[in-house]
Amino acid sequence: EIVDAIAAALGNGPLRGRRIVVTSGPTHEPIDPVRYIANRSSGAQGAAIGAALAALGAEVIFVTGPAEVPPPAGVEVVAVDTAAEMRAAVHEALPADAAIFAAAVADWRMKTARAEKIKKTPDGLPDLALEENPDILAEVAAGPDRPGLVVGFAAETENVVENATAKRARKGCDWILANDVSPATGIMGGRDNAVTLITDEGAEAWERMGKDAVARRLAERVARALGPVGAA
Amino acid sequence: EIVDAIAAALGNGPLRGRRIVVTSGPTHEPIDPVRYIANRSSGAQGAAIGAALAALGAEVIFVTGPAEVPPPAGVEVVAVDTAAEMRAAVHEALPADAAIFAAAVADWRMKTARAEKIKKTPDGLPDLALEENPDILAEVAAGPDRPGLVVGFAAETENVVENATAKRARKGCDWILANDVSPATGIMGGRDNAVTLITDEGAEAWERMGKDAVARRLAERVARALGPVGAA
């Protein structure tokens, strides 16, 4: 890490000259002024990835929802709350050489968030009618500003490789980093991660390791995939 | 504050010998293993109240949801996640001389939280059928273990005094500390609070002040209301 930091400081890391967008953290989707739908992403894996890419010399645009873990040093932080805000920030940050979508974006939001606090009334429960959030990963992967390398994440609780492989095809991204977030694994909110990298060559299971180690390994793979600047 | 701390340390604060239950923070109501319904309570006001009561010598049982602000020193912390867990912890902590319900308990929870992550499917949106959470304040105020002083909070976005006065009657509690949590006030998640104390004598608006100052004023009122131990 010290070597990476020195390399980055000297400006000769393998990702020098590369602009990489990283999304991280959960999104919060408001129900009314005081309530919201959230998810258990701590932002730890995304922050580690941002740090690892910056350590290899990349210019990192770090688009983060309300995470527990602070954003890493050495990145450009764009703080957002909702999926809609994250989408706008990502499009704003493009074009880029690569985009890594580590955020746990809410799949749904309220069809209509209320302007006033919903009150408990005797005549029944509120209707939380939902609508789908934009699919930022699929949009960017199919969009005119598509980075050369687009990486998605899949948080699964069952049939991890199968679901993640299907997700890679469906989203049109290059890689999916899949992990098992069943409560029993302790991964969501924990320090370790056990991921499987899905590429066009198949599934590659990485041993369970710290989220920092996952991030460094991913950053090295990104550097290898992008190659030297100007070599494309 | 230093005087209070010394008084508490010497064991001669006005709440010495009093056992007080304080609830604080939000509750999180699971939707599935990764998603939940939350609210914007930071737990700052509840933590300040716990600290202020302890500073006056009270034995404080501090039942807290997943708050941003850490619990104060000098209290007995009981950490919970959901409203159902908070209810159980409060009943467990009774009997007590007073109970102060500063937590922002979720009014609703999922009728059935899913054991597996809900997947996005082409055939429609998930049905978030809700049911009401137990009303811990009303239950304790009407229960066999009712403390001599029961204090509720009302977070309102409109008609604050009117709504809070109605809430006091409906819940059967002694006092309501009402505040305006409209986003424009910056109170929810902020440092200040502007509260109105509703008692059987009417509404008493306190000037806007720090949450610590609100807590100290409330703690002094509680000490006055309870009187010296053995004087009842």
Side-chain angles (χ1 to χ4, degrees):
Chain A
E1 231 171 324
I2 291 171
V3 173
D4 288 346
I6 292 169
L10 295 173
N12 56 3
L15 288 172
R16 184 185 169 208
R18 296 298 189 183
R19 177 178 171 91
I20 304 184
V21 176
V22 177
T23 71
S24 183
T27 67
H28 286 178
E29 305 298 327
I31 296 173
D32 67 17
V34 300
R35 304 181 179 96
Y36 57 95
I37 299 176
N39 66 64
R40 300 195 190 282
S41 167
S42 65
Q45 186 63 79
I49 290 168
L53 294 167
L56 296 187
E59 175 194 1
V60 177
I61 319 301
F62 189 75
V63 180
T64 178
E68 283 165 35
V69 171
V75 304
E76 182 189 320
V77 178
V78 184
V80 301
D81 206 45
T82 65
E85 289 164 9
M86 183 169 280
R87 174 200 200 188
V90 166
H91 284 292
E92 180 78 16
L94 296 178
D97 298 293
I100 298 177
F101 294 92
V105 179
D107 288 321
W108 302 285
R109 63 182 167 211
M110 292 280 288
K111 205 167 272 177
T112 317
R114 314 283 186 91
E116 300 292 339
K117 185 180 172 193
I118 303 171
K119 306 207 61 94
K120 249 164 115 165
T121 56
D123 46 293
L125 299 161
D127 173 26
L128 300 193
L130 301 177
E131 64 183 6
E132 273 194 29
N133 264 321
D135 187 329
I136 308 173
L137 169 60
E139 236 180 52
V140 168
D145 276 337
R146 190 193 198 282
L149 180 66
V150 175
V151 182
F153 274 68
E156 305 287 347
T157 52
E158 40 182 2
N159 305 327
V160 175
V161 170
E162 193 186 325
N163 284 334
T165 302
K167 182 172 184 176
R168 175 177 174 272
R170 205 167 60 241
K171 305 289 187 184
C173 58
D174 301 299
W175 300 348
I176 288 273
L177 216 59
N179 55 10
D180 184 342
V181 295
S182 307
T185 64
I187 283 174
M188 207 116 183
R191 251 186 42 201
D192 278 3
N193 210 347
V195 305
T196 301
L197 179 66
I198 316 276
T199 70
D200 58 355
E201 295 178 355
E204 178 186 316
W206 294 2
E207 66 273 24
R208 189 171 176 132
M209 56 181 107
K211 289 180 178 173
D212 286 350
V214 168
R216 282 197 298 274
R217 188 140 156 192
L218 179 65
E220 283 156 17
R221 290 290 284 258
V222 169
R224 228 188 301 154
L226 293 180
V229 173
Chain B
E1 232 171 322
I2 290 170
V3 175
D4 289 346
I6 292 169
L10 295 174
N12 56 4
L15 288 173
R16 186 188 167 206
R18 295 298 190 182
R19 177 177 171 91
I20 304 183
V21 176
V22 176
T23 71
S24 183
T27 66
H28 286 178
E29 305 298 327
I31 296 172
D32 67 16
V34 299
R35 305 182 178 95
Y36 57 94
I37 300 176
N39 67 63
R40 299 194 190 281
S41 168
S42 65
Q45 186 63 79
I49 290 168
L53 294 168
L56 296 187
E59 176 195 359
V60 177
I61 318 301
F62 189 75
V63 181
T64 178
E68 283 166 37
V69 171
V75 303
E76 182 188 321
V77 178
V78 185
V80 299
D81 205 46
T82 65
E85 290 165 8
M86 184 169 279
R87 175 201 201 187
V90 166
H91 285 292
E92 180 78 14
L94 297 178
D97 297 294
I100 299 177
F101 294 92
V105 180
D107 289 320
W108 302 284
R109 64 181 166 211
M110 291 279 287
K111 204 167 274 177
T112 316
R114 314 282 187 92
E116 299 293 337
K117 185 179 172 194
I118 304 171
K119 306 210 56 99
K120 251 165 113 165
T121 56
D123 48 291
L125 299 161
D127 173 27
L128 299 193
L130 301 176
E131 64 183 7
E132 273 194 29
N133 263 321
D135 188 329
I136 308 173
L137 170 59
E139 238 179 50
V140 169
D145 276 337
R146 189 192 198 284
L149 180 66
V150 176
V151 182
F153 274 68
E156 305 286 346
T157 52
E158 42 184 358
N159 306 327
V160 176
V161 170
E162 193 185 325
N163 284 336
T165 302
K167 183 172 184 176
R168 176 177 173 275
R170 204 167 59 240
K171 304 288 186 184
C173 59
D174 300 298
W175 300 348
I176 287 273
L177 216 60
N179 55 10
D180 184 342
V181 294
S182 308
T185 64
I187 283 173
M188 206 116 182
R191 251 187 41 202
D192 279 2
N193 209 348
V195 305
T196 301
L197 179 66
I198 315 275
T199 70
D200 58 354
E201 294 178 353
E204 179 186 316
W206 295 0
E207 65 273 24
R208 188 171 175 130
M209 56 181 106
K211 289 180 177 174
D212 286 350
V214 168
R216 282 196 298 273
R217 189 140 155 192
L218 178 65
E220 284 156 16
R221 290 291 283 259
V222 169
R224 227 189 301 154
L226 293 181
V229 172

